[in-house]
Amino acid sequence: MRLRKAILPALVVALAPAFAPGAARAESPAMQIRGTGDLGIVVERAAGRVVVVETSTPSRLGAIGGLGDLSHASAVFSRDQRHAYVFGRDGGLSKLDLLRGELVKRVVQAGNSIGGAISQDGRVVAVSNYDPGGVKLFDADTLTLLSEIAAAGDDGKRSKVVGLVDAPDDKLVFALYDAGEIWSADIADPRAPKVLRYRDIGRLPYDGMITPDGRHYVAGLFGEDGAAMLDLWRPEAGVRRILDRYGRGQEPLPVYKMPHLAGWASAGEWGFLPAVGRHEVLIVSLTEWKEAGRIAVHGQPVFAVARPDGRQVWVNFAHPDNDVVQVIDVPSRAVVATLRPGRAVLHMEFTPRGERVWLSVRDADRVDVYDTRRLARVASIPVDKPSGIFFAARGVRIGY
């Protein structure tokens, strides 16, 4: 009882300055003691700002600005889920304190970046860059630069880096878009990373993902139909091509927006993959890594995201069909609902246990929250031109 009395005042003192005057933010929420696992951020892409949200309520707690160009921003979280690391398109890396609502530090580390990852032990934040191509490693506490992995192909030219993910055993895995390679980096010593290269994986790998167990890394190929898969338990086996020429004999449609493999849905033994340039979601056996079926959908899919229990897959679409979201029932492999939240649904994020999903509706300046059982909207939150939605619960998941 004495211990509890001693700790509680300390928590109050520590959290009382949350969203205090002087923080880089737009508004201040009511003071409360709260856990970090219920928090998240929504990117306001046009304003260079993120909104801090709480998922259970659901509610808006405040906003943190001064984050630069967030037109293709993404984020990862510290293991304690208190800090978010935001990767901006202008090369900016920003560390945010979600409890205090503050911008802790921001560095501009490249001319053009496309995302990042945090190491398994939470000590290192990595940024994947387009210009100059490569990966930079930073100390998660101070954002001090530790080292750089210059991503160059056999011709010596730097390549854009895409699909950067964390993997078990303090590794990072990523793809080289221009060089057509996958690299695996051991960052146990982040000042001297050790790199394994896998060449000739296919043309123009545009994104990558890692399975929830951290075993398989898959890079989608834009220059040809198919994907490249690396088994991290058997790296000596090299990269295996999967789904070769899945569009053979069909005329591909113009691609209006690149699909994201980071949102590839893993539901039990099945994976659900957006098909590039087609109005289809591919079903992949995650045991044999072969195509197991296709589902016709409303338009060209961008994200296919699985509810945490794997029962549903929610799909959004590229322009001109980006006002629609469809829900796939996994057991029946059928579209069971077509929703029309509004123009430009850019991103979807499930609450940690999947009872709700949040949708960013950019052109309506709001985020909608849907009940995933009733498939009905239960709340809306005003947000200026929202894009990415990232919940702090990602901080305890591999590849997020």
Side-chain angles (χ1 to χ4, degrees):
M1 213 49 190
R2 288 182 181 176
L3 181 61
R4 182 177 180 182
K5 288 181 179 179
I7 292 176
L8 185 56
L11 285 172
V12 173
V13 170
L15 300 182
F19 293 86
R25 87 278 188 241
E27 74 249 23
S28 298
M31 297 300 107
Q32 289 186 35
I33 296 175
R34 53 170 50 88
T36 55
D38 201 23
L39 301 180
I41 60 173
V42 181
V43 175
E44 292 186 315
R45 58 187 293 161
R49 187 171 57 215
V50 301
V51 173
V52 180
V53 297
E54 185 177 73
T55 65
S56 292
T57 320
S59 60
R60 172 182 179 135
L61 301 181
I64 305 172
L67 307 184
D69 182 357
L70 300 183
S71 57
H72 197 285
S74 61
V76 296
F77 296 86
S78 58
R79 287 164 59 120
D80 63 5
Q81 304 172 45
R82 176 171 180 170
H83 294 102
Y85 299 88
V86 178
F87 309 100
R89 194 59 184 260
D90 57 0
L93 167 60
S94 302
K95 180 179 180 178
L96 313 181
D97 186 328
L98 300 185
L99 286 181
R100 294 183 180 275
E102 294 177 349
L103 171 59
V104 178
K105 188 172 183 179
R106 181 171 188 266
V107 296
V108 178
Q109 52 80 47
N112 188 340
S113 58
I114 197 65
I118 190 165
S119 63
Q120 182 182 30
D121 59 13
R123 295 184 300 117
V124 178
V125 175
V127 188
S128 55
N129 292 317
Y130 271 11
D131 180 23
V135 174
K136 288 186 177 180
L137 307 183
F138 296 85
D139 181 278
D141 289 333
T142 65
L143 297 192
T144 300
L145 179 64
L146 300 174
S147 63
E148 179 178 8
I149 303 170
D154 288 334
D155 60 2
K157 296 181 180 178
R158 297 278 282 257
S159 172
K160 300 181 185 72
V161 170
V162 298
L164 173 64
V165 300
D166 64 280
D169 297 325
D170 284 321
K171 289 185 172 61
L172 299 172
V173 191
F174 50 91
L176 278 61
Y177 178 82
D178 303 294
E181 299 185 13
I182 291 174
W183 288 16
S184 171
D186 184 331
I187 59 168
D189 179 358
R191 296 185 183 276
K194 300 176 181 178
V195 174
L196 290 177
R197 295 177 59 178
Y198 300 88
R199 296 174 171 85
D200 301 321
I201 67 163
R203 292 175 51 231
L204 305 180
Y206 65 88
D207 200 4
M209 58 81 67
I210 193 167
T211 51
D213 61 3
R215 176 172 179 175
H216 296 100
Y217 178 82
V218 178
L221 302 175
F222 186 68
E224 52 193 285
D225 287 336
M229 187 269 289
L230 175 64
D231 185 342
L232 296 173
W233 290 10
R234 299 179 62 245
E236 70 282 356
V239 171
R240 171 183 167 189
R241 288 293 298 270
I242 60 174
L243 305 175
D244 266 353
R245 297 193 300 276
Y246 62 74
R248 182 174 46 193
Q250 303 177 31
E251 187 67 27
L253 300 170
V255 178
Y256 295 107
K257 183 174 174 60
M258 297 284 273
H260 287 263
L261 287 194
W264 186 8
S266 295
E269 61 181 306
W270 309 110
F272 293 80
L273 171 67
V276 179
R278 307 192 186 283
H279 293 185
E280 294 175 329
V281 169
L282 303 182
I283 305 172
V284 181
S285 166
L286 298 184
T287 56
E288 298 181 351
W289 292 98
K290 295 180 179 180
E291 182 180 332
R294 305 183 185 200
I295 301 171
V297 291
H298 180 77
Q300 290 184 19
V302 177
F303 283 102
V305 185
R307 200 171 71 176
D309 66 347
R311 176 62 191 264
Q312 295 175 349
V313 172
W314 288 54
V315 185
N316 71 335
F317 300 97
H319 177 82
D321 301 308
N322 59 10
D323 61 330
V324 169
V325 172
Q326 289 190 310
V327 182
I328 295 172
D329 175 68
V330 170
S332 65
R333 301 185 179 183
V335 174
V336 294
T338 298
L339 311 173
R340 295 184 180 273
R343 300 295 303 178
V345 177
L346 298 187
H347 202 248
M348 303 171 291
E349 181 87 340
F350 285 95
T351 52
R353 296 197 177 192
E355 78 284 354
R356 290 178 175 175
V357 62
W358 291 40
L359 313 177
S360 59
V361 191
R362 185 195 63 196
D363 291 359
D365 291 318
R366 71 173 193 267
V367 169
D368 286 345
V369 182
Y370 277 76
D371 182 300
T372 59
R373 181 179 179 180
R374 296 187 290 119
L375 304 179
R377 187 173 68 185
V378 295
S380 290
I381 300 171
V383 178
D384 180 26
K385 299 295 180 289
S387 54
I389 305 171
F390 306 96
F391 292 156
R394 288 171 170 245
V396 296
R397 300 174 62 187
I398 295 171
Y400 281 84

